[in-house]
Amino acid sequence: FSVNGAKAGNDTDLCSLKKEVLATGPIDLGTFEPKDGAFILRAELVGANPKSEATKSFFGIDCIVLEPAK
């Protein structure tokens, strides 16, 4: 992930061998300042788990939570 062009969070392998969608729970990407009043979130898929099958590139995001910095 990146936010406004800066690396966000850690690299994550989300491969599921159960052939079903699994929830990860929250993934903390860190704290960022808006750029020109906005945040640009980018998810980049790079490589694949050797045990994955088919296209090796399915993923989804069901929720994004923005909180004020503490």
Side-chain angles (χ1 to χ4, degrees):
F1 289 99
S2 66
V3 176
N4 294 339
K7 182 172 172 43
N10 298 314
D11 292 344
T12 306
D13 182 349
L14 300 174
C15 179
S16 169
L17 301 178
K18 296 185 178 192
K19 299 187 183 203
E20 62 187 58
V21 175
L22 300 175
T24 65
I27 297 174
D28 187 350
L29 298 181
T31 302
F32 297 87
E33 293 287 331
K35 190 174 191 178
D36 298 326
F39 294 97
I40 297 175
L41 173 64
R42 179 178 178 183
E44 183 176 2
L45 305 179
V46 179
N49 183 301
K51 295 178 183 176
S52 65
E53 299 174 357
T55 69
K56 304 175 184 261
S57 61
F58 294 112
F59 89 105
I61 296 175
D62 69 345
C63 179
I64 296 173
V65 177
L66 302 176
E67 298 178 330
K70 298 175 185 173

